[in-house]
Amino acid sequence: MNVKIESSWKKQLADEFEKAYFVDLVNFIKNEYQNQLCLPKGKDIFNALDQTPFEKVKVVIMGQDPYPTPGHAHGLCFSVQEHVKPLPPSLINIFKEIQTDLGLNIPPNGSLIRWAKQGVLLLNAVLTVRAGQPRSHQGKGWEVFTNQIIKTISDNKENVVFMLWGGDAKKKINLIDSSKHLILTSGHPSPLSANRGYWFGNKHFSKANNFLQSKGLEKINW
């Protein structure tokens, strides 16, 4: 497997890579990728960290696990590769909320790399999945690792916006120091939640930009 992790994250998470749970996780993932069709590609497992170095993180968006459809997932939560049509329903609802909140047009493709490059860490709680089997890599150690990423950001940075959408993401609240960061919560953008009124109208994107600008930071071009 061709796996790489950006240098600033290697430094921040160095102790984590030595822990027994992570060694077990690596062995599990290697075996899965050798014997099953798993997503995303090995080179993209840590794409969220590669695209958004630690020092550039301004916003954190939490997802659950990668899209289980081959060709969709590329290591950024909610994002799909540029060629993917139609867009996943959750991503469509995210774009609809941005359109209502900020008056921006829905973009021509579903790649969110442009967000990641601006400092939006698009982090799934679980970084891999078997194709066609959502949540198939839950409980194998990824959650421990990504919890540590959240805690590392909370402890070592200030004025970060954490967007926690849905029940799984909201469980991360206790890892975040609310005295120095902004925590925004809402329902998940999936149709099941959004159609019940738990997503639309949360205005998270304008709230995030207003907070960043109030701290003298550049806003995100959503």
Side-chain angles (χ1 to χ4, degrees), residues 101-121:
D101 187 14
L102 298 173
L104 300 177
N105 292 329
I106 291 177
N109 67 70
S111 174
L112 303 181
I113 285 179
R114 58 195 173 82
W115 293 3
K117 295 292 189 185
Q118 296 177 75
V120 181
L121 181 65

Side-chain angles (χ1 to χ4, degrees), residues 20 29 45 67 72-73 110 115-116 122 133 143 155 176-177 210:
I29 295 302
I45 291 174
Y67 292 119
H72 284 202
W115 293 3
L122 295 161
Q133 299 181 43
E143 296 91 340
D155 291 350
I176 304 165
D177 184 348
N210 290 340

